[in-house]
Amino acid sequence: MIRQDRIALGVRASCLVALLAFVTLGIMHKPGITGVACLTGLLLVLADFPGDGIHRAKAYVGTGVAGVAALAAGHLAAHAPMVVFAVIIGLLAAGLFVLRGFGGAVAAGTSAVTSDLLVGASLGLHRSSFWQAVTGAVLGMAVAAGGALLVASPPRRTELQTATVHALGRCVAALSGGGPSDAAIGRDSEQLISLFMNSSDRTASPSRAAVASSAVVTSTARLMEFIADHGTRQVPLRDAVVACLSAAKRVVDHPRDQSAAEHLEHQARQLQGDLDARIGPRQGDDGYRGDAIVLTVLQIADYAATARGSHVPGSSRRTTFDSELWSQLKTRLRPDAPLMNNALAAFVLFGTLSLLVSIIHVPHPQWLLMGAMSSFYPYARRSAF
């Protein structure tokens, strides 16, 4: 069965080509703009950003503006000496490759922007009109963004989100006393981590929300491992723990539901108060060693709230996001990191191909450059960490 979001995508693409052809050929009488407008517009349509109208609008307009700038930069670079041209294209492609390693919507957006860069470079090599190229890119961006907002895809649930919600439900059932066996919980934990590491939906951005989103999955897996190793017979504050974890599950399942976020905040505050009353004044995280399940549930609640842009009061000592962000950036951008090695490979690949097509004058070099990108980019996801 054809998915509804694929049907919506096809409708947007068809409407985009028809409308751009009518505007550029029937109204403007500028056939030179038609190809650029359709190609850049289709690249943006294929990004197919998820989310509500506001988030989709920001993603499409932001990516479209960046794409127009990249196309203009590629076109202007083509007028430089061949070696300089190749270096510029290589550096820009490598920089976009680094951004693509962050995953999520950034990966989809930078793929379109990189394609615009290569299209602009190819048009510049053929000495096509700069202003016609920019005009076509602007038209393509405007029509693609408008069509994406008017013909929206139905809400999508990623496989990773579905698996996380399912895992949280298994934990709730186990803590309630009627869940799966400890061995089954352990297997579920391994499957969740395996899916997390191999999922193309996993965002690898070092932003606060993205770090929290990943931490929800890893913390859930850690909770499942603890349940598998130690069971649930001696869980303190069982009712409050189950209520808080159920509220976190609801937020992960419906991140846009404000009432769910408010309910989670209430349950987390109540569980934190019960825990403080049970163990006495706080003495740092060491004071929670005997309540690992309770602490992990509080962490999941904190991460789930942060992933949707909320905050659980009193959680700052448990979640050190600033140090986590800095640590991730240092790890990813060190000279021997996989991400930087792959960025260097992108520089060599696109720089060398740009130099070759400028020397031997390949007809329609954009297809050669974009073909290389489509073959090389699937490996970018592996270099996120």
Side-chain angles (χ1 to χ4, degrees):
M1 181 180 294
I2 301 177
R3 288 165 42 187
Q4 292 184 0
D5 58 333
R6 299 297 92 187
I7 295 176
L9 184 64
V11 171
R12 290 201 300 270
S14 301
C15 293
L16 177 136
V17 172
L19 182 57
L20 287 176
F22 174 74
V23 171
T24 56
L25 297 175
I27 298 178
M28 299 177 65
H29 304 290
K30 297 286 187 180
I33 298 178
T34 307
V36 179
C38 290
L39 183 56
T40 55
L42 286 172
L43 289 170
L44 189 55
V45 164
L46 291 175
D48 199 24
F49 297 107
D52 56 29
I54 295 178
H55 288 81
R56 288 167 61 85
K58 291 180 179 178
Y60 277 106
V61 173
T63 303
V65 171
V68 172
L71 185 140
H75 196 290
L76 293 173
H79 296 276
M82 287 187 293
V83 175
V84 176
F85 163 67
V87 170
I88 292 174
I89 297 302
L91 287 175
L92 291 174
L96 290 168
F97 189 95
V98 171
L99 291 177
R100 191 181 192 278
F102 288 167
V106 176
T110 50
S111 296
V113 173
T114 304
S115 298
D116 289 331
L117 170 68
L118 301 179
V119 170
S122 301
L123 293 173
L125 289 175
H126 281 279
R127 297 298 186 263
S128 300
S129 169
F130 173 79
W131 291 112
Q132 282 195 0
V134 171
T135 301
V138 171
L139 283 174
M141 175 201 73
V143 174
L149 297 177
L150 294 175
V151 187
S153 296
R156 298 201 302 270
R157 294 176 56 84
T158 66
E159 185 180 4
L160 183 58
Q161 179 187 8
T162 300
T164 304
V165 171
H166 175 72
L168 287 170
R170 300 270 280 182
C171 291
V172 169
L175 292 169
S176 300
S181 65
D182 296 344
I185 284 283
R187 290 192 297 270
D188 289 345
S189 173
E190 295 175 359
Q191 292 173 1
L192 179 61
I193 289 297
S194 176
L195 177 63
F196 172 72
M197 295 304 299
N198 295 291
S199 174
S200 60
D201 299 319
R202 170 174 56 89
T203 178
S205 167
S207 69
R208 185 180 297 265
V211 171
S213 179
S214 297
V216 169
V217 182
T218 55
S219 296
T220 300
R222 185 167 65 250
L223 176 61
M224 298 173 80
E225 291 172 358
F226 194 90
I227 292 174
D229 292 340
H230 302 284
T232 60
R233 295 180 180 178
Q234 302 297 326
V235 177
L237 309 173
R238 184 183 299 271
D239 292 342
V241 166
V242 170
C244 185
L245 191 61
S246 298
K249 171 180 174 289
R250 182 183 170 194
V251 167
V252 175
D253 197 13
H254 304 285
R256 302 295 177 191
D257 188 341
Q258 182 61 34
S259 64
E262 293 172 354
H263 181 62
L264 173 61
E265 178 180 333
H266 170 74
Q267 293 296 337
R269 186 187 295 111
Q270 181 173 334
L271 177 58
Q272 181 69 70
D274 292 345
L275 182 60
D276 291 342
R278 179 175 179 272
I279 67 173
R282 298 183 196 172
Q283 311 231 341
D285 285 342
D286 289 344
Y288 293 98
R289 286 178 179 171
D291 302 275
I293 286 183
V294 182
L295 176 59
T296 303
V297 169
L298 283 170
Q299 288 177 328
I300 292 173
D302 185 18
Y303 290 134
T306 304
R308 71 170 304 280
S310 302
H311 179 64
V312 174
S315 62
S316 57
R317 63 170 182 77
R318 297 193 305 272
T319 308
T320 55
F321 281 108
D322 292 338
S323 60
E324 176 70 16
L325 299 183
W326 179 240
S327 174
Q328 284 203 33
L329 286 175
K330 288 194 297 184
T331 300
R332 296 181 190 196
L333 301 181
R334 70 179 191 271
D336 61 336
L339 183 59
M340 299 306 294
N341 290 336
N342 281 279
L344 178 60
F347 170 78
V348 173
L349 173 63
F350 294 109
T352 302
L353 286 177
S354 299
L355 182 61
L356 287 176
V357 298
S358 62
I359 292 175
I360 62 180
H361 304 290
V362 176
H364 305 293
Q366 67 269 23
W367 304 122
L368 174 63
L369 295 172
M370 293 174 66
M373 187 194 75
S374 63
S375 300
F376 182 65
Y377 261 34
Y379 300 98
R381 198 65 190 87
R382 301 179 184 177
S383 66
F385 292 106

